[in-house]
Amino acid sequence: MPELRIDPFPSPANLNTLWCAAWNTPQAPDFSCILPRSLTHLGAYHDGRLVGFVNVAWDGGIHAFLLDTCVHPDMRRRGIATQLVREATRVARERGAEWLHVDFEPHLTSFYRACGFRTSEAGLIKLA
């Protein structure tokens, strides 16, 4: 099982490599201004290589938001995402969050339910 690291601040090159493979996109967002403001972020490392990532943004109070959960396609179906989400949940609670929110596509419902998330009533406005 990969080693989980809390707040590893991966290099832009390492994060970009994972992001492009996991999301099938040409480039990752610029996390250099995002991660320092996050409540926490976690990386999963296998043989020194970043193979999984999750970010926990927050409002500075009791609400935190799980974002960008991803695992390299070559490492999927091994429980890495589950491990990342559960550890992110633990760290967020430890750092004072009382609520952890997540938005996800419908095909991920069973995954997030297995991680302990439940459906809630929430408002949403798409801004872009």
Side-chain angles (χ1 to χ4, degrees):
M1 190 56 87
E3 170 195 3
L4 293 189
R5 298 180 192 169
I6 299 169
D7 301 328
F9 289 94
S11 73
N14 289 341
L15 196 45
N16 194 61
T17 298
L18 170 62
W19 189 271
C20 292
W23 297 101
N24 196 27
T25 61
Q27 186 161 343
D30 179 7
F31 280 96
S32 66
C33 61
I34 296 171
L35 297 183
R37 293 185 175 106
S38 296
L39 180 61
T40 191
H41 65 278
L42 290 90
Y45 290 81
H46 178 71
D47 293 334
R49 180 175 68 112
L50 182 66
V51 298
F53 176 80
V54 67
N55 184 31
V56 181
W58 69 318
D59 66 354
I62 63 171
H63 294 270
F65 310 87
L66 196 66
L67 301 168
D68 306 323
T69 306
C70 63
V71 174
H72 192 283
D74 295 343
M75 299 294 290
R76 290 183 180 159
R77 311 295 305 168
R78 300 179 189 196
I80 297 169
T82 300
Q83 203 179 5
L84 282 166
V85 169
R86 287 186 176 154
E87 183 66 0
T89 301
R90 185 194 67 75
V91 174
R93 181 182 299 113
E94 183 178 274
R95 293 186 180 179
E98 295 180 20
W99 295 95
L100 184 59
H101 308 264
V102 65
D103 293 327
F104 52 85
E105 295 177 6
H107 71 276
L108 295 171
T109 299
S110 61
F111 168 75
Y112 282 105
R113 282 187 181 263
C115 290
F117 287 88
R118 298 292 172 249
T119 303
S120 67
E121 295 293 324
L124 177 66
I125 297 174
K126 184 172 183 178
L127 301 177

